[in-house]
Amino acid sequence: MKLNLLVVFLFIGQLCIAQNTLTVRGKIVDANSKKPLEFVSVIINSNKTNQPITGVTTGIDGTFELKTKEKDINVEVSFIGFKTIKINTVKKENDVANLNTIELEEDAQQLDEVVVRAEKSSTEFKLDKRVFNVGKDLSSTGASAMEVLNNVPSVNVSIEGAITLRGGQGAQILINGKPSVIASQEGNALGTIVADQIEKIEVITNPSAKYEAEGTAGIINIVLKKNDKKGWNGSISLNTGIPNNHSIGVSLNKRTEKFNIFSQVGVGKRTFPNESKSYNINRTNNNEILSKGEGDKNEQFYNITLGTDYYINQYNVITLSGNFAYEIEDEDSKTQFDQIDGNNATLNSSYNRFEITEATNPKYQYELQYKKDFKNNKEQSLLFSALGSFFGKDQSSEFKNEAIVGIADPNQKTRTDFKEAQYTFKLDYTHPISETYTIETGAQYVLNDVTNDYAVDNFQGGTWVNDASLTNIFDYKQNVLGIYATAAYEGEEWGVKLGGRLENTDLNTVLQTTSQENAQNYTNFFPSVHTSYKVSNNFSIQAGYSKRIYRPRLWDLNPFFNIRNQFNIFTGNPNLQPEFTDSYELTSIHKIGKLNLNLGVYYRNTTDVIEDVSSFDTSTGVTTRMPQNFGTSKITGFEANYKVNLTKWASWNGDFNYNLFNRKGQFDANNNFDFEGSRWDTKSTIKFKLPESFDLEVSGNYRSKYKTAQGTVSKNAFANLGLRKKIIKGKVILNLGIRDLFASRIFESTQEGTNFFSSSSRQRGRFVTFGISYGFGKGEAMEYSARKRF
């Protein structure tokens, strides 16, 4: 009740103040065509301080309206490709300044230079998130979203595609703010998104209640580009590389008064080499199993995207879009297995295991979105979206064993029929009560339906015999309903945002071959608090708290495993429970001359931690990893992000993350997993502007060695290099990118228990890619040129 009265009093006070607010309005048109210009930037500056007060962009009809308490002002109007206008004398009548129609003239020189904009990635801080604006980083030529994420502060991606945020597993990946099977970390789905499709990546380590509560480490939201400049815009790109990496992409966009039609077509072929090693020791008899292998994964991909925005009027727009992608995979590998008697160093058996895998992966997504803006307040909006997506995999593998010493195991083959469908319905309403107070509310319903049909056959007695112990059909259904509300105050110096979210989870899994079922239904409340204080123009402080959940995903629960390496396997656990995290952080933002520096400390307390636990079968020598719930995890960390312009032709940016962790957990009578440790990682990038329109970029990544529940993960370091050349006044761009320059990106880990020790390593090697792109159209369309490969 007291809180409600406080809000009412603040609202009434704000209304009283608003009576003396100056309203500035007008309309922007092209001086030549006299047609309205949309997205023109209009900024109000104070004549007393020469600092910006507020700003807005024009609507589809070219109109704008701003409100300010300051009376001594000037107005600045700017738009890419046009000359900037500054209105120093603003005439007022009854607290209204009507600037009428303002005509902008084209600036030919600026049109030639527009191609250099947005070429450098940058990070900006907002009240409850960090926004990494994706530029044309040179080493990202031909790269997928996975490689781009490796450039984002606080984010790391392993060679297997596992994504960690500040070193923590369990980050929720979103596409344009919504869940999608395309954002799944399984099946290389994120590999279908490429660097030049991405406008920005939002890293939300402490999400507000507006965002779904999934992801104990936080949320990574990938926002895709959509060109909406008037007229025809587009790009054509070609890429080639070593190992095998060839693609062609075409992007076209047509904007009229009522419609914005956008399309992308891409086709290509790429290869991912792989080298692996593993080592198992049976400590009960000292027997050893060694494996060493290499192989190639080849992909052909075809993609088409088509969508349209229909502007019903100035305040209502409907968007309908769809994407279809199809991949053809083939994978071949050779692995040698040696079984050694450790007591007398005798080679008991040795054989080669050859794999041939073929798969087809259809993927499609469709979305209907409706957005309503309101006449009296351009920040007020209602947004509804309905999203459907599907990912399938029809895969078959044959494993042939050839003896070198002794007798080889029987040949095997597997079959996988995987289907995942996901539907998301989302409604968001934003209502600014005043210039400083805003409320948000909404709801989201996510339905996920998965079936995985997996079978293993062994070649016995001249015929294929099904292995019932390794064959199963696993059904997974999870529905999550969430509702939320937030209230925010954001003044010139201080801001605060309070929120609460209620989510109900209904999960059902069935292992059809054994009729084993797991049904869970639970409801949880997730509060959030965020605040910021601007000490000065060069120093700000932010603080936040949120409660998060990590729900076990399909591969955590599914008993399916891959038999590529028979002696090191992973299987899911249908009985897993969700883990919960309370997350706190404090960040300071500094601007010191040419240096932008952000320092932060954070603390995460997680219960019912999900951790992979390895067990060893002494009779077969097989190590099996399975996720389990046990214990708590407390992590305290420090993080620094920095960017400095060293000279007019060189800049340096990077980040550093260090944390201490304390794990407590008793898995069973024989396994106490209490341990402490630390880990740190850093990224650094230096960019140079060279003569003759050349740009050079060098970046390095390092991750320290750290402890796990049963072993260690080794240190890892690698470097990337990129070179760019602009020709034909910047309309054509040539890119050369080298990822993992020294082929040093090797992922190694160990596990051990009372009766075993095992280690494994993987490496993919160096990638070299050359690309050429041509962008055409008006305004910022040139910034969107390059590889539209999915």
Side-chain angles (χ1 to χ4, degrees), residues 173-187:
I173 314 296
L174 305 178
I175 302 292
N176 293 332
K178 293 176 282 291
S180 170
V181 295
I182 294 178
S184 171
Q185 295 186 45
E186 289 85 28

Side-chain angles (χ1 to χ4, degrees), residues 617-788:
D617 189 329
T618 56
S619 62
T620 61
V622 175
T623 300
T624 302
R625 287 188 301 120
M626 177 185 288
Q628 303 282 356
N629 287 105
F630 63 90
T632 61
S633 172
K634 300 179 187 298
I635 296 176
T636 304
F638 167 78
E639 186 173 40
N641 308 110
Y642 56 89
K643 180 179 180 182
V644 58
N645 293 317
L646 301 173
T647 67
K648 291 183 179 180
W649 47 269
S651 64
W652 179 29
N653 67 80
D655 73 286
F656 173 82
N657 179 53
Y658 175 84
N659 63 60
L660 299 167
F661 50 86
N662 185 307
R663 288 294 311 275
K664 299 288 184 183
Q666 185 75 34
F667 176 58
D668 55 33
N670 299 320
N671 290 283
N672 184 303
F673 290 143
D674 292 355
F675 69 98
E676 296 179 350
S678 65
R679 61 184 294 179
W680 64 276
D681 57 77
T682 184
K683 303 174 186 176
S684 185
T685 301
I686 299 180
K687 300 181 180 182
F688 302 94
K689 283 190 171 297
L690 305 178
E692 303 298 330
S693 297
F694 276 100
D695 293 321
L696 175 66
E697 173 188 285
V698 181
S699 64
N701 293 54
Y702 179 84
R703 185 187 66 185
S704 72
K705 180 180 179 179
Y706 62 92
K707 291 182 181 179
T708 62
Q710 290 179 289
T712 61
V713 174
S714 296
K715 64 183 179 181
N716 182 272
F718 63 96
N720 299 325
L721 179 70
L723 185 68
R724 175 191 294 131
K725 166 69 174 174
K726 303 188 189 76
I727 60 176
I728 313 177
K729 295 184 178 180
K731 292 183 179 180
V732 177
I733 299 177
L734 309 177
N735 290 289
L736 175 67
I738 305 176
R739 299 195 297 279
D740 196 3
L741 179 62
F742 303 106
S744 59
R745 193 179 182 188
I746 303 172
F747 289 81
E748 298 176 306
S749 63
T750 65
Q751 299 84 36
E752 61 181 313
T754 56
N755 58 359
F756 76 97
F757 172 86
S758 68
S759 67
S760 61
S761 68
R762 290 186 65 191
Q763 181 182 18
R764 280 198 173 153
R766 183 185 301 108
F767 288 80
V768 181
T769 308
F770 175 75
I772 178 171
S773 60
Y774 168 68
F776 55 89
K778 299 179 180 179
E780 295 178 355
M782 299 295 290
E783 296 183 7
Y784 298 157
S785 64
R787 301 143 307 276
K788 299 298 178 185

Side-chain angles (χ1 to χ4, degrees), residues 19-35:
Q19 293 178 357
N20 296 319
T21 299
L22 175 64
T23 300
V24 181
R25 61 170 66 107
K27 182 176 182 178
I28 312 296
V29 300
D30 188 320
N32 293 325
S33 67
K34 308 302 180 185
K35 291 183 178 180

Side-chain angles (χ1 to χ4, degrees), residues 210 312 314-319 368-375 377-385 426-432 439-443 484:
K210 179 177 181 178
I312 301 172
Q314 180 181 352
Y315 303 105
N316 296 272
V317 59
I318 294 177
T319 299
L368 173 66
Q369 181 173 288
Y370 166 71
K371 183 179 181 184
K372 177 178 177 58
D373 295 322
F374 293 83
K375 183 177 181 180
N377 194 325
K378 292 191 176 183
E379 298 299 319
Q380 183 180 359
S381 66
L382 177 69
L383 180 66
F384 169 78
S385 67
K426 201 167 187 285
L427 182 67
D428 295 294
Y429 175 66
T430 302
H431 188 115
I439 59 172
E440 297 173 306
T441 187
Y484 76 90

Side-chain angles (χ1 to χ4, degrees), residues 301-332:
F301 49 91
Y302 308 88
N303 181 279
I304 183 170
T305 297
L306 183 64
T308 182
D309 300 315
Y310 172 59
Y311 296 86
I312 301 172
N313 53 41
Q314 180 181 352
Y315 303 105
N316 296 272
V317 59
I318 294 177
T319 299
L320 180 64
S321 63
N323 167 256
F324 176 78
Y326 191 78
E327 292 178 343
I328 301 174
E329 297 179 353
D330 67 82
E331 187 168 359
D332 60 89

Side-chain angles (χ1 to χ4, degrees), residues 573-600:
N573 179 1
N575 298 313
L576 278 181
Q577 300 295 311
E579 63 179 31
F580 295 88
T581 294
D582 290 288
S583 179
Y584 307 81
E585 67 178 44
L586 177 66
T587 302
S588 61
I589 304 169
H590 309 259
K591 185 175 181 181
I592 308 169
K594 296 181 178 180
L595 172 66
N596 290 303
L597 177 64
N598 309 297
L599 305 174

